[in-house]
C-alpha cells in the first residue's frame, strides 16, 4: 500500500540517483537513440532455450539474449551505460549499434518479432534495460527492419510528455498541492507534508517501460514530483507510424490502475468476498452481485470502474470506495442522505483546492452521478462557472461544459 506522507529520507537516495545519472554521462536514452556501424567479426552463439536468459560469454562478447535465431551481444570489455550492442539475425544479417544498456542477468533484453507499423512485415522489437537504481527504472525500445536492420524512428514519450503535460506544485499550510493536465484531462492531488525535495513541476524520464499490445507499441511512464513521489502514471499508445496517438493519465499508487479482470477479482475477494463478478465490454465496467437468501431482501449490486478503481452503487451510481487510493475513507451508502453528501464534500475539498476550483455554492454544487463512478459538480474555474466530471477518490476530472 502506498504511503503519501514521507517526512524524512536518507541521503543515500540522492547520492544513488546522482551516481546513476553521472555514470550515464547524462545521456539516458529512451526511443531509438545511438549510432550504428557494420562489423565483420564473428560472434560466439550460445544455444539456449530461454530467450530471456543472459548467457555465458566468450573472451570478447557477452550474449545478452537470443530468441528464434536472433542473438544480441555486447563486448565484454565495456563497462559503460552507452555500449556497442550487436544484433545477429539467424546469421544472415548483423549490425552493431551504440545503445544504452545495463548487463543484468535478472533483466535481460526482450526480443519480439511483431508487425508494429502495419507494413505486412514483422519488425524486430528490442527492449533493453537502460538503467536501474533508487527510484529509477528505465527501459529503451528499438525497432529494426528485419532485412536491413535499419532502425525505425519511434517517438520518444519522455520528450513528448515533458513538453505537453502542464503541471503545478504548490506548498502551503504544511501540505503540497499538485495539479496535472493533458489534453483537457486533469489529476489533482494533495500530500500532507511540505519540504525542499519537491520539484516545481512534474517531470518524466525516471521510470519508463514499453510493451507490445495487440501489435502496437505502448509506453508506460511515471511522472516525478519529488525525489520519492510519483503522483501520475501515464500510458501512451502508439499508432502504426510509431508516433504517439493517445495518452491516458492514471492515479499512481501501489495498486495501479487500469485494473485487469484478475486484479478486480483479487481485490474484491480481499475487500468483500462472496460476490459474483461479471464484465460488460460495452461499458468497460465490472459488476459484483452479492446474493441473499430467498425472501430476505434484494441482492446488493456494485460496479467497478477498472480505469479508476472506484467502486460504486449499481442502482444510484454513487461512489463508495476506491481500490487505488486506500488512504481515502469509504463513503457511507447513498441512502444515508445528508451524511453521504458531507463525506463526499470532505473528499472533494482538497482536490478542488489543488485544482484551484471553487464550488458554485455550498447548497447547489452537486448535479448527479454519471454511472461510472464519476459525478458531476458545478464549480468556478478562472472566474467562469463550469460543470466538471470528477472522481472523488483519485482526483481525475475534466470540464464537461461552461455555463452560459
Amino acid at each position: 500500500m502506498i504511503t503519501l506522507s514521507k517526512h524524512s529520507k536518507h541521503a543515500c537516495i540522492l547520492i544513488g540517483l546522482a551516481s546513476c545519472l553521472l555514470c550515464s554521462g547524462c545521456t539516458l536514452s529512451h526511443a531509438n537513440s545511438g549510432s550504428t556501424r557494420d562489423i565483420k567479426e564473428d560472434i560466439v552463439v550460445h544455444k539456449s532455450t530461454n530467450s530471456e536468459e543472459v548467457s555465458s560469454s566468450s573472451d570478447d562478447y557477452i550474449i545478452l539474449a537470443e530468441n528464434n535465431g536472433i542473438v544480441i551481444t555486447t563486448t565484454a570489455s565495456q563497462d559503460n551505460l552507452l555500449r556497442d550492442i550487436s544484433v545477429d539475425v539467424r546469421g544472415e544479417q548483423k549490425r552493431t549499434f551504440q545503445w544504452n544498456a545495463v548487463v543484468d542477468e535478472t533483466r535481460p533484453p526482450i526480443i519480439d518479432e511483431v508487425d508494429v507499423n502495419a507494413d505486412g512485415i514483422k519488425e524486430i522489437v528490442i527492449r533493453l534495460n537502460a538503467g536501474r537504481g533508487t527510484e529509477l527504472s528505465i527501459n529503451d525500445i528499438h525497432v529494426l527492419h528485419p532485412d536491413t536492420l535499419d532502425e525505425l524512428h519511434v517517438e520518444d514519450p519522455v520528450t513528448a510528455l515533458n513538453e505537453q503535460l502542464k503541471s503545478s506544485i504548490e506548498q502551503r499550510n504544511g501540505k503540497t498541492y499538485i495539479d496535472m493536465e493533458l489534453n483537457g484531462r486533469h489529476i489533482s492531488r494533495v500530500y500532507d507534508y511540505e519540504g525542499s525535495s519537491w520539484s516545481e513541476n512534474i517531470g518524466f524520464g525516471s521510470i519508463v517501460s514499453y510493451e507490445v499490445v495487440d501489435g502496437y507499441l505502448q509506453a508506460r511512464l511515471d511522472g516525478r514530483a519529488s525525489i520519492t513521489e510519483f503522483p501520475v502514471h501515464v500510458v501512451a499508445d502508439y499508432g502504426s507510424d510509431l508516433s504517439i496517438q493517445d495518452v491516458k493519465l492514471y492515479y499512481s499508487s501501489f495498486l495501479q490502475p487500469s485494473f485487469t479482470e484478475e486484479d478486480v477479482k483479487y481485490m474484491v475477494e480481499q475487500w468483500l468476498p462472496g460476490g459474483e463478478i461479471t464484465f460488460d465490454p460495452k461499458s468497460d465496467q465490472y459488476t459484483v452481485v452479492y446474493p441473499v437468501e430467498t425472501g430476505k431482501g434484494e441482492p446488493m449490486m456494485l460496479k467497478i470502474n477498472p480505469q479508476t478503481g472506484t467502486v460504486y452503487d449499481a442502482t444510484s451510481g454513487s461512489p463508495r470506495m476506491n481500490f487505488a487510493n486506500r488512504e481515502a475513507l469509504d463513503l457511507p451508502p447513498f441512502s444515508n442522505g445528508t451524511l453521504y453528501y458531507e463525506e463526499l464534500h470532505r473528499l472533494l475539498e482538497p482536490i478542488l483546492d489543488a485544482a484551484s476550483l471553487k464550488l458554485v455554492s455550498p447548497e447547489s454544487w452537486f448535479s448527479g452521478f454519471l454511472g461510472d463512478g464519476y459525478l458531476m459538480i458545478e464549480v468556478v474555474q478562472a472566474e467562469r462557472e463550469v460543470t466538471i466530471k470528477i472522481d472523488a477518490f483519485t482526483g481525475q476530472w475534466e470540464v464537461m461544459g461552461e455555463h452560459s
Side-chain angles (χ1 to χ4, degrees), residues 135 189 191 206-207 222-225 227-232 252:
E135 309 295 351
R189 298 185 62 165
Y191 292 81
S206 298
I207 298 180
D222 286 352
R224 181 193 288 271
I227 294 176
T228 56
E229 300 290 6
F230 295 80
V232 62
S252 181

Side-chain angles (χ1 to χ4, degrees), residues 290-348:
Y290 293 89
V292 296
E293 296 180 20
T294 303
K296 292 188 177 181
E298 296 293 326
M300 182 174 68
M301 184 180 299
L302 300 173
K303 289 194 173 185
I304 301 165
N305 187 331
Q307 304 302 314
T308 61
T310 293
V311 179
Y312 58 98
D313 183 82
T315 302
S316 67
S318 56
R320 296 288 304 279
M321 59 87 70
N322 185 276
F323 287 125
N325 182 7
R326 292 310 298 135
E327 292 198 347
L329 297 176
D330 296 355
L331 289 170
F334 182 62
S335 58
N336 286 17
T338 302
L339 177 61
Y340 181 87
Y341 284 112
E342 289 176 351
E343 294 298 318
L344 180 60
H345 182 272
R346 186 177 302 176
L347 272 179
L348 290 171

Side-chain angles (χ1 to χ4, degrees), residues 165-184:
L165 185 130
K166 301 175 183 177
S167 63
S168 64
I169 301 176
E170 299 180 4
Q171 300 182 63
R172 58 182 186 273
N173 302 323
K175 295 184 179 182
T176 301
Y177 298 82
I178 301 176
D179 182 62
M180 300 155 277
E181 182 269 329
L182 181 67
N183 300 328

Side-chain angles (χ1 to χ4, degrees), residues 7-73:
H7 297 280
S8 61
K9 299 295 168 188
H10 296 294
C12 64
I13 294 178
L14 284 168
I15 296 171
L17 180 59
S19 297
C20 290
L21 294 175
L22 288 173
C23 288
S24 69
C26 295
T27 58
L28 294 179
S29 65
H30 300 280
N32 56 299
S33 61
S35 59
T36 67
R37 60 181 176 85
D38 294 316
I39 63 171
K40 297 181 179 179
E41 296 91 343
D42 292 330
I43 64 172
V44 177
V45 178
H46 173 83
K47 295 181 180 179
S48 172
T49 57
N50 184 353
S51 64
E52 297 191 0
E53 178 182 353
V54 175
S55 310
S56 59
S57 62
S58 70
D59 293 337
D60 297 322
Y61 293 97
I62 301 171
I63 298 178
L64 298 177
E66 53 182 310
N67 184 33
N68 195 28
I70 300 173
V71 184
I72 299 177
T73 62

Side-chain angles (χ1 to χ4, degrees), residues 80-345:
N80 300 321
L81 180 63
L82 183 64
R83 55 194 306 136
D84 291 340
I85 303 292
S86 295
V87 180
D88 184 286
V89 182
R90 293 177 272 275
E92 300 172 356
Q93 295 285 341
K94 180 180 176 182
R95 199 164 183 177
T96 294
F97 305 82
Q98 282 198 317
W99 290 338
N100 284 341
V102 175
V103 178
D104 182 352
E105 62 182 12
T106 66
R107 296 182 179 90
I110 299 173
I111 306 169
D112 292 298
E113 292 179 273
V114 186
D115 181 10
V116 293
N117 64 355
D119 63 353
I121 302 172
K122 290 184 177 180
E123 285 74 39
I124 299 171
V125 181
I126 298 172
R127 287 173 280 168
L128 295 173
N129 171 7
R132 288 293 187 277
T134 304
E135 309 295 351
L136 186 72
S137 177
I138 301 173
N139 285 345
D140 279 357
I141 192 165
H142 303 278
V143 178
L144 308 180
H145 191 283
D147 296 330
T148 64
L149 294 188
D150 288 339
E151 185 162 10
L152 308 183
H153 175 73
V154 178
E155 183 177 4
D156 182 8
V158 174
T159 300
L161 286 170
N162 281 331
E163 291 176 350
Q164 297 173 22
L165 185 130
K166 301 175 183 177
S167 63
S168 64
I169 301 176
E170 299 180 4
Q171 300 182 63
R172 58 182 186 273
N173 302 323
K175 295 184 179 182
T176 301
Y177 298 82
I178 301 176
D179 182 62
M180 300 155 277
E181 182 269 329
L182 181 67
N183 300 328
R185 299 172 183 174
H186 294 251
I187 293 182
S188 301
R189 298 185 62 165
V190 180
Y191 292 81
D192 293 330
Y193 71 100
E194 293 184 80
S196 59
S197 64
W198 292 98
S199 304
E200 295 182 358
N201 47 49
I202 302 297
F204 294 90
S206 298
I207 298 180
V208 184
S209 65
Y210 294 88
E211 302 290 339
V212 179
V213 180
D214 297 328
Y216 292 93
L217 301 184
Q218 184 182 87
R220 294 177 172 267
L221 308 89
D222 286 352
R224 181 193 288 271
S226 73
I227 294 176
T228 56
E229 300 290 6
F230 295 80
V232 62
H233 179 71
V234 178
V235 176
D237 290 313
Y238 286 76
S240 58
D241 62 353
L242 304 186
S243 67
I244 297 172
Q245 300 296 310
D246 185 49
V247 177
K248 295 183 178 67
L249 304 183
Y250 295 94
Y251 180 94
S252 181
S253 66
F254 179 74
L255 297 175
Q256 180 61 61
S258 62
F259 295 118
T260 65
E261 183 175 356
E262 183 179 354
D263 295 333
V264 170
K265 288 181 177 179
Y266 173 79
M267 293 184 297
V268 168
E269 187 64 25
Q270 297 298 309
W271 172 61
L272 193 62
E276 299 177 3
I277 301 175
T278 59
F279 177 69
D280 180 7
K282 292 183 179 180
S283 64
D284 191 32
Q285 307 288 294
Y286 291 89
T287 301
V288 188
V289 179
Y290 293 89
V292 296
E293 296 180 20
T294 303
K296 292 188 177 181
E298 296 293 326
M300 182 174 68
M301 184 180 299
L302 300 173
K303 289 194 173 185
I304 301 165
N305 187 331
Q307 304 302 314
T308 61
T310 293
V311 179
Y312 58 98
D313 183 82
T315 302
S316 67
S318 56
R320 296 288 304 279
M321 59 87 70
N322 185 276
F323 287 125
N325 182 7
R326 292 310 298 135
E327 292 198 347
L329 297 176
D330 296 355
L331 289 170
F334 182 62
S335 58
N336 286 17
T338 302
L339 177 61
Y340 181 87
Y341 284 112
E342 289 176 351
E343 294 298 318
L344 180 60
H345 182 272

